[in-house]
Structures are given as C-alpha cells and as structure tokens.
Amino acid sequence: AEAGAVTLTLKADQGDDSESVTLTAADGGAFTIDSTTATVTVDGHTGVTITSSNSGEVDITSAANVDINATTGVTIDAVGVAIGAGSGELDLTTTGILDINSAALDIDTSGAITIDAAGVASHIALVTAHTSGLAFHIDANANAGSIVDIDAGVLDIDVTAAATIDAVGVAIGAGSGELDLTTTGTLDVNANALDMDLTDSSTITITSSEAAEDLTIAQVGANDSSILITAAGTGADAVSIDTTAGSMLIAPSLINGKTLTIGPSSATQMVFTPHGTPASEKISLTNTAGTAANAVALTATAGGVTISAGNTTHGVKIGDVDGAPVTIGHTTSETTVSDNLTVTGNLTVN
C-alpha cells in the first residue's frame, strides 16, 4: 500500500491453540523486520521465544534505550553473559533484593568502589566458609602512604586463634575511656624500651593464690646499669616500702664484697659490707659530714639500746679517733672518761 494506514495481519486461528505462523528465510538468507518510523511490537499470549540455532547470535541493537519490563521475573540462561555499558553508566536497580549466586565473583574497576547500606536497619556482612589458609584478604599496601580507615561506633573483633598486628608503629588510643588488655594466659611485652607516663594514682597488683607467686622487677646484664626509684613527693612517705604480713628482706644475695649502702656518700651512711670470709664481714654507720655533738646517735624512745660484740675475741670499742672524751650515762647524770677507759671485769654505769 502506498499511502494510508494499512495493516498486514498474518493469522492462524481456528479456535484452538495448535495453529502457528512461521516466517522462514531459507538457504542462509536473512529475515528482517524493519519499521522506519513506528514501533515494532511482538506480543505473545503466553510467551515470546527468540531462538538462534546452530551457534548463531541474537543481537539487540538500539540507538536509544532498551527496556525489558516484566511483572514477575527476567531470566537469562547462557554459558556466558556479557553486559557492556561502554563509557556510560550501568545501573542495576531494584526495590527488592539483588541476589547474585556464583561459583566465584571477580570485580575489576579502575575507579572507586562504594558499597552503601543506607537503611537504619541495614547491615553489610562479608562471610567466608573457608576452613584453612587465606580466607579473607584486604590489601591496601601498594604504598607506605596507603591508608585503611575503619570508623565505627563499636568495633568488635573476635579471633579464635592468634591475632597479629605488624607495623612500623602502632598507636592505640582510648580517649577518656578505659583501655583493657585482658588474658587468662601470659601478657608478654617485648620492647627495646618501655615508657609509661601516668597522670593519676596507679597500681601494679599481683593476687597470689598459692606460694611462690612472686612479682619480680629485675635488671639483667652485667653492665653499669641500675634500677632507680625516684619520688618528687613532699610527704613523709614520698617513698614507702612496707610489708603487711611477712618480714622484709633487703639484699639477700649480698655476698663476696658487694656493698649495701643506705644514705649519700657526703652525709650519713649505713654501710653493709659482706665478705667472702664470714669472719671479715663489717657493718658501719658513718656520718661523713656531721659535726654536732650527736652526729651519730642511737636512741630508743621507750626501751633500751644494747651494743654487744657477741664473742670473747673482739669486744665493744667505744672511743674517738682524735682522743675526745667518751661520755657514758644519762643526759642529766653523765659519766665522763677523759682519756682511755680500761675495764678488766664488769663495768656498771648508772
């Protein structure tokens, strides 16, 4: 028809569903449905099937959009499916669930990847059922300046085996909150140096449940190194070492000429000098700078003071290297010995 609205209808309808219309281009020819100005509509009452046999290709080409609208679902079943958007945008949009089931998923992109679960009850779960070896890998190590940034209201990391953090530097900040390191095993801290800066009262406590559970602070290595405990406190107990039940033992391994000195060398010192030979051991209480009359005093505010040699070989020596008088007695009733005092038997001074 050269003009006017003309319709070409091919119809096979005799009242049942067995009739069909077949358009065939034989001998390898092409079959073309072409509408230059209007729309081509293919409407099947129960369905539409487009089939290309003998490994042929089905090509849908459009200068505009290609819309596939279905009230139930769309199924694409092929050995391989390639969807290319060129330089345009590829949108997969649904108000329901986007479900991807695959033996493997490989996503390659030269730009950014954003996964955004915007719903207030939404969550993102990355789950692997891998049982050994590398199961989950995040790699952002192309450069030392690459950053992995995790921002969370609450961060909960549960590991059934060991956890390792290996970095040039590790900073753990808890702000004004509490930082807990808790283990029922051993907390092992290995470092070239340990620097703890505290601004409030602090406690190191070991709760003993049986004998020989000790707290040891040791400096090892035979070098001129020290353990220093220093306090800038102004109270009477600026440094307090005490025991509430047992006894206090200071320098139990002080043998073979090692010296325990209490006090500065320029003032009053109590010096314990053990010797390899027990008979050569000495204890000295020396005031190297005092000039007062009582520069060294032994005073008991309630009981008495006993000075004893403990053997018959060496007695008790009371004297002064400059020949100053020796005074024995009460402060209000003194007995003064101006020179030497020799007592062969007992000496009683009241």
Side-chain angles (χ1 to χ4, degrees), residues 159-171:
V159 181
T160 56
T164 301
I165 300 176
D166 188 359
V168 175
V170 176

Side-chain angles (χ1 to χ4, degrees), residues 61-101:
T61 304
S62 174
N65 294 333
V66 175
D67 287 334
I68 300 175
N69 298 311
T71 58
T72 55
V74 175
T75 301
I76 300 176
D77 187 0
V79 175
V81 176
I83 301 176
S87 59
E89 182 175 305
L90 176 62
D91 283 333
L92 300 176
T93 304
T94 176
T95 57
I97 297 175
L98 177 61
D99 189 1
I100 301 175
N101 298 301

Side-chain angles (χ1 to χ4, degrees), residues 10-14 16-23:
L10 303 178
K11 184 177 183 182
D13 187 2
Q14 295 297 324
D16 55 32
D17 296 332
S18 61
E19 297 83 5
S20 63
V21 175
T22 302
L23 303 178

Side-chain angles (χ1 to χ4, degrees), residues 48-303:
V48 175
T49 301
I50 301 175
T51 303
S52 176
S53 60
N54 298 325
S55 302
E57 181 177 300
V58 175
D59 188 5
I60 301 175
T61 304
S62 174
N65 294 333
V66 175
D67 287 334
I68 300 175
N69 298 311
T71 58
T72 55
V74 175
T75 301
I76 300 176
D77 187 0
V79 175
V81 176
I83 301 176
S87 59
E89 182 175 305
L90 176 62
D91 283 333
L92 300 176
T93 304
T94 176
T95 57
I97 297 175
L98 177 61
D99 189 1
I100 301 175
N101 298 301
S102 173
L105 178 62
D106 187 1
I107 300 175
D108 297 319
T109 177
S110 59
I113 297 177
T114 301
I115 300 176
D116 186 2
V120 295
S122 301
H123 73 283
I124 297 175
L126 300 177
V127 181
T128 174
H130 197 63
T131 57
S132 63
L134 186 62
F136 191 83
H137 185 203
I138 298 176
D139 187 353
N141 199 26
N143 188 274
S146 300
I147 298 174
V148 174
D149 188 3
I150 299 175
D151 299 319
V154 176
L155 179 62
D156 186 2
I157 300 176
D158 298 318
V159 181
T160 56
T164 301
I165 300 176
D166 188 359
V168 175
V170 176
I172 300 175
S176 60
E178 182 174 305
L179 177 61
D180 281 333
L181 298 177
T182 304
T183 175
T184 56
T186 300
L187 177 61
D188 189 1
V189 179
N190 297 300
N192 183 56
L194 177 63
D195 186 2
M196 299 177 64
D197 298 318
L198 310 173
T199 58
D200 208 343
S201 297
S202 304
T203 303
I204 299 176
T205 303
I206 177 173
T207 302
S208 175
S209 60
E210 58 184 6
E213 289 182 340
D214 303 326
L215 176 62
T216 301
I217 300 175
Q219 181 274 320
V220 297
N223 300 294
D224 187 7
S225 302
S226 306
I227 295 177
L228 306 177
I229 301 176
T230 304
T234 58
D237 59 347
V239 175
S240 177
I241 301 175
D242 196 7
T243 176
T244 59
S247 301
M248 181 179 295
L249 182 61
I250 299 176
S253 302
L254 199 65
I255 59 175
N256 296 331
K258 298 181 180 68
T259 300
L260 172 62
T261 302
I262 301 175
S265 59
S266 60
T268 304
Q269 283 188 331
M270 181 178 290
V271 181
F272 297 85
T273 308
H275 196 276
T277 302
S280 300
E281 293 176 349
K282 297 181 295 181
I283 296 177
S284 302
L285 177 59
T286 305
N287 188 340
T288 60
T291 57
N294 59 346
V296 176
L298 298 178
T299 304
T301 59

Side-chain angles (χ1 to χ4, degrees), residues 328-336 347-350:
I328 302 173
H330 195 271
T331 56
T332 60
S333 178
E334 299 176 346
T335 299
T336 302
L347 172 65
T348 300
V349 179
N350 297 321

